[in-house]
Amino acid sequence: MNKSKAVIIIESVTILILLLIIGLNSINTNEQNIIRSEEISPNQKYKVVVYQKGDPVFPFGPVTFEVSLQKYNNKTDPTEEKSFTEINTFFVNVSDDGKSGDFKTEWSPQYFKITFLGDEQLPHTIMIPLNENIY
């Protein structure tokens, strides 16, 4: 009789632990892309859009950013809305102790630079050349 009570207690504790783990993993319910920044280069030829991919992973996980660098499509009709073509997209995880992370951007005639900042990591910088001959 004591053996069956012990087995029931062990099974119950195991089930509770599994439910707790599943519950904690499902807390990150916001999976929407949030536009954190949208900038046009000083020469008006490029645009960068930085999206935050949902909320940081619970409880102290990283936040994921998607960065989309786009080039302006030259149009002859000035009444048409500006349109851009994506030329580079990448994803970056930022370790910021469960917070939303931060970044700063810099434009130059030769490159676009973005630096990602987080409390739990060194600054991470990515530079993309803006060579008119490439694009």
Side-chain angles (χ1 to χ4, degrees):
M1 191 76 148
N2 287 339
K3 245 184 179 179
S4 64
K5 283 185 180 181
V7 170
I8 292 173
I9 290 172
I10 291 171
E11 288 177 347
S12 298
V13 169
T14 304
I15 290 171
L16 285 173
I17 290 172
L18 288 173
L19 289 174
L20 180 65
I21 291 170
I22 291 169
L24 288 177
N25 284 333
S26 67
I27 287 178
N28 185 11
T29 57
N30 181 9
E31 294 296 329
Q32 294 180 336
N33 289 347
I34 302 162
I35 296 177
R36 289 278 304 266
S37 177
E38 189 170 351
E39 297 179 22
I40 295 181
S41 65
N43 64 7
Q44 306 290 307
K45 292 183 180 182
Y46 297 94
K47 176 170 83 168
V48 67
V49 183
V50 181
Y51 301 94
Q52 179 179 322
K53 307 289 283 177
D55 291 329
V57 179
F58 180 82
F60 302 109
V63 63
T64 301
F65 289 107
E66 177 183 352
V67 180
S68 172
L69 182 62
Q70 304 166 9
K71 185 173 185 205
Y72 173 62
N73 295 326
N74 293 325
K75 294 193 175 186
T76 55
D77 185 356
T79 61
E80 289 186 34
E81 185 178 332
K82 278 191 169 186
S83 73
F84 292 85
T85 301
E86 189 170 78
I87 57 173
N88 195 322
T89 298
F90 57 92
F91 297 85
V92 175
N93 286 332
V94 175
S95 298
D96 196 23
D97 202 20
K99 295 180 276 188
S100 295
D102 201 8
F103 56 89
K104 58 184 177 180
T105 59
E106 180 184 328
W107 293 95
S108 150
Q110 293 82 27
Y111 63 84
F112 165 73
K113 179 167 81 170
I114 184 165
T115 302
F116 295 93
L117 309 163
D119 287 346
E120 297 179 322
Q121 71 175 42
L122 295 173
H124 179 72
T125 300
I126 297 173
M127 289 179 60
I128 300 172
L130 301 176
N131 185 341
E132 293 296 320
N133 296 327
I134 293 174
Y135 306 115

